Amino acid sequence: MAKKKKLNKNWLHDHINDPYVKMATNAGYRARAAFKLKEIAEPEGLLKPGIKVVDLGSAPGSWSQVLREALVGPGGVINGRIIALDLLPMEPIAGVEFIQGDFRDEAVLEDLNQRLGGEKLDLVVSDMAPNLSGVAAADSARIEHVCELAIDFALNHLKPNGALIVKIFHGSSYSNIVHQMKQVFKSVSPRKPKASRDRSRETFLLCKGLK
């Protein structure tokens, strides 16, 4: 118990003193993760008015906030479309459609498909992460499953020149996930944004152009 309290205290200290947390607060973002998406997507020119994008694992909404900023035009009118989805509730964001539900649930996917109505997407972003148990083999399987769902969704809904940004974790499933991505996309590049904590095992794959 003492060790857990120390870990919580250390996390809180790091969090309070994290420059990205302070930047997020000042910029009005709901989480520091906003800067991860900006670092990955902005240099590639992926965030621009007129795009259609789905944000998977969107809560608390910082990635949707970044997407909205890119799409908002004169008078606050959204030029494009953003659909966000998460198992957890998310406070509303003007111009962002939100679906609460489990991405692995067929009924939730059907709701998303109906909203899209056959529209193809320019971008799919996924900050989804499964609940990790600490058991390496089980966690690798969960991570791989979530990534496979994101790949399958992108394959069915992206435009031929569309892009997918997906979070993965270094571990036994990493190379297999990258291999699967390369079967589907012309370009697959790992990204470790500065806004991602050094000790975190998370990384992101930027995948562009369907084969």
Side-chain angles (χ1 to χ4, degrees), residues 103-203:
F103 186 63
R104 297 167 295 182
D105 189 328
E106 285 188 18
V108 174
L109 273 178
E110 182 58 30
D111 183 5
L112 182 54
N113 289 335
Q114 285 185 1
R115 291 185 190 227
L116 288 172
E119 284 184 283
K120 292 296 184 180
L121 301 166
D122 299 280
L123 180 63
V124 174
V125 297
S126 173
D127 200 26
M128 289 191 298
N131 291 324
L132 301 179
S133 64
V135 179
D139 288 345
S140 289
R142 290 173 182 174
I143 291 164
E144 193 166 346
H145 179 56
V146 167
C147 289
E148 285 172 350
L149 289 173
I151 295 170
D152 188 57
F153 179 78
L155 187 60
N156 287 310
H157 295 285
L158 275 179
K159 294 177 180 178
N161 62 344
L164 167 68
I165 297 171
V166 62
K167 178 162 73 177
I168 63 173
F169 295 86
H170 282 282
S172 60
S173 61
Y174 179 84
S175 58
N176 190 42
I177 292 168
V178 173
H179 176 73
Q180 289 185 61
M181 294 292 191
K182 288 182 176 179
Q183 301 303 304
V184 177
F185 291 93
K186 296 174 183 175
S187 169
V188 178
S189 307
R191 294 285 191 273
K192 180 72 171 177
K194 292 177 183 176
S196 183
R197 291 188 173 99
D198 291 338
R199 64 179 179 273
S200 172
R201 289 171 53 230
E202 74 174 11
T203 190

Side-chain angles (χ1 to χ4, degrees), residues 33-47 63 125 164-167 189-194 196 203-207:
F35 296 101
K36 299 176 190 178
L37 180 60
K38 290 170 78 73
E39 281 186 70
I40 298 166
E42 284 182 348
E44 300 289 332
L46 297 176
L47 305 181
W63 279 25
V125 297
L164 167 68
I165 297 171
V166 62
K167 178 162 73 177
S189 307
R191 294 285 191 273
K192 180 72 171 177
K194 292 177 183 176
S196 183
T203 190
F204 296 84
L205 292 180
L206 170 60
C207 312

